[in-house]
Each structure stands twice: as C-alpha cells, then as structure tokens.
C-alpha cells in the first residue's frame, strides 16, 4: 500500500469516527486543528485505525506522533 493510499484510508477512518464528512487531513494536521479530536476520540481513533489496518500500535509509537504524517509513517512501517 502506497503512502498516499494510507493517508486516504486514515482520512476515511477519521471522518467516520469523528463524524466529519468534509474533514481533510494533511501530514501536518494535529489534534489542535480538529475540534472534535480530543483525548477520548483519540483512543477511539487508535482502535479504529488498528482494526482498519489490521495492526497494533505500542504506547511508545502512539506517544511519538506529533501529527498525521507521523501516524501515516508509523502505519507504513507496519505494512
């Protein structure tokens, strides 16, 4: 799976979990940029991403993400 495809799938998962049909994610997007992305929804997003991609994240990986680009890179490394 190409990196752009991973970003598109991440965006789809975020749209579904946050109920934001028009959400557009970039590598630079952070939780501060999306009002609905709070600590509770972050946990829900992680679970949905793990399920959607068939992978598991470590706590260390999750804590290392500063933005969506870091998240996508992490997923790409597991594929």
């Amino acid at each position: 799976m190409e990196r752009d495809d991973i970003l598109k799938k991440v965006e789809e998962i975020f749209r579904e979990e946050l109920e934001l049909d028009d959400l557009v994610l970039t590598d630079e997007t952070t939780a501060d940029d999306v009002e609905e992305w709070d600590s509770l929804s972050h946990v829900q997003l992680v679970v949905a991403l793990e399920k959607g991609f068939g992978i598991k994240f470590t706590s260390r990986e999750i804590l290392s993400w500063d933005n969506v680009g870091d998240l996508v890179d992490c997923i790409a490394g597991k594929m």
Side-chain angles (χ1 to χ4, degrees):
M1 183 176 268
E2 296 291 324
R3 192 176 187 288
D4 287 344
D5 296 327
I6 294 171
L7 179 59
K8 287 177 186 168
K9 187 169 180 175
V10 167
E11 187 175 77
E12 290 171 13
I13 291 169
F14 269 59
R15 286 178 177 177
E16 184 175 321
E17 291 298 314
L18 299 177
E19 299 178 358
L20 296 172
D21 294 336
D22 58 348
L23 178 65
V24 176
L25 297 178
T26 67
D27 282 345
E28 294 78 30
T29 304
T30 68
D32 292 338
D33 300 322
V34 183
E35 186 175 333
E36 290 80 357
W37 185 358
D38 57 20
S39 58
L40 177 60
S41 63
H42 185 76
V43 172
Q44 294 168 324
L45 287 165
V46 169
V47 171
L49 290 164
E50 288 179 331
K51 185 176 179 183
F53 285 96
I55 57 177
K56 290 284 183 192
F57 299 114
T58 65
S59 297
R60 182 176 297 221
E61 287 169 331
I62 295 167
L63 292 171
S64 74
W65 303 334
D66 291 326
N67 54 37
V68 170
D70 291 343
L71 164 62
V72 170
D73 291 340
C74 183
I75 294 170
K78 292 179 171 289
M79 309 275 314

